[in-house]
Amino acid sequence: MQALVERLLPIVQAEVGYALLRGARAESRDARQEIADFVQEVFIGLLGGGGKTLRTWDPARGRSLDSFIRLVARRQVATILRTRRSTVSICT
């Protein structure tokens, strides 16, 4: 598990950073902490439930593992941002 996380960590960090920049996250939080939090959320999504999401990767479908991980990270960040925005708009 540790080797897998070490292998995927740079991919997830890069995709999370890119997704947050693209999503224009301009809050007062430390950017490094924000990235670390999102990276943790992505890994929970990938490896939670016995690795259910990670086990859906099928190289026969045309994506490399790296590409699949980037896709999952991008979607997870988008979902989190959408949820936070809707929660903020409901509360204000």
Side-chain angles (χ1 to χ4, degrees):
M1 182 63 74
Q2 182 176 348
L4 177 65
V5 170
E6 288 174 1
R7 158 99 166 64
L8 300 179
L9 184 60
I11 298 165
V12 173
Q13 287 173 326
E15 191 59 42
V16 165
Y18 178 73
L20 290 177
L21 282 176
R22 195 177 57 223
R25 298 279 298 164
E27 293 183 4
S28 60
R29 290 189 63 189
D30 176 18
R32 289 175 299 212
Q33 184 61 50
E34 188 82 357
I35 290 171
D37 290 348
F38 275 81
V39 166
Q40 184 175 357
E41 290 289 328
V42 170
F43 273 107
I44 289 169
L46 274 170
L47 303 173
K52 182 179 177 182
T53 300
L54 185 57
R55 286 185 286 127
T56 64
W57 173 62
D58 180 2
R61 295 177 71 187
R63 280 195 181 269
S64 67
L65 178 60
D66 291 4
S67 177
F68 176 77
I69 297 302
R70 283 193 299 274
L71 175 66
V72 170
R74 190 175 316 128
R75 287 179 176 174
Q76 182 108 20
V77 170
T79 298
I80 294 167
L81 291 175
R82 213 173 24 255
T83 302
R84 285 186 183 178
R85 285 186 191 125
S86 66
T87 302
V88 168
S89 67
I90 290 171
C91 293
T92 55

